């Protein structure tokens, strides 16, 4: 069974060059930020930040679409 986790490990984006601990801390911070939103007006800016991070990672949109159907 292939999950495709290493398909894009070769990319040289700024996020791919982070140390794994920093990636984990950043992901946990993003998860907690979304979980603590109380004002619905903050959802759009947070989605914008998430989209910016995704663009910074230089991953293709097809990868995002396949991962989006899991949740």
């Amino acid at each position: 069974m292939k999950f495709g986790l290493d398909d894009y490990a070769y990319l040289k984006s700024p996020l791919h060059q982070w140390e794994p601990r920093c990636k984990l801390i950043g992901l946990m911070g993003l998860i907690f930020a979304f979980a603590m939103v109380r004002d619905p007006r903050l959802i759009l800016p947070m989605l914008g930040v998430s989209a910016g991070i995704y663009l910074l990672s230089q991953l293709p949109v097809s990868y995002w679409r396949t991962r989006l159907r899991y949740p």
Side-chain angles (χ1 to χ4, degrees), residues 8-25:
Y8 302 105
Y10 65 89
L11 293 176
K12 299 294 182 199
S13 73
L15 292 181
H16 282 85
Q17 296 175 3
W18 281 11
E19 184 181 349
R21 287 180 287 194
C22 294
K23 292 178 190 178
L24 184 60
I25 291 170

Side-chain angles (χ1 to χ4, degrees), residues 39-52:
D39 188 0
R41 294 178 291 182
L42 293 176
I43 293 175
L44 282 177
M46 290 181 70
L47 288 174
V49 167
S50 297

Side-chain angles (χ1 to χ4, degrees), residues 30-46:
L30 193 61
I31 290 171
F32 282 117
F34 268 101
M36 297 297 171
V37 170
R38 296 187 185 264
D39 188 0
R41 294 178 291 182
L42 293 176
I43 293 175
L44 282 177
M46 290 181 70

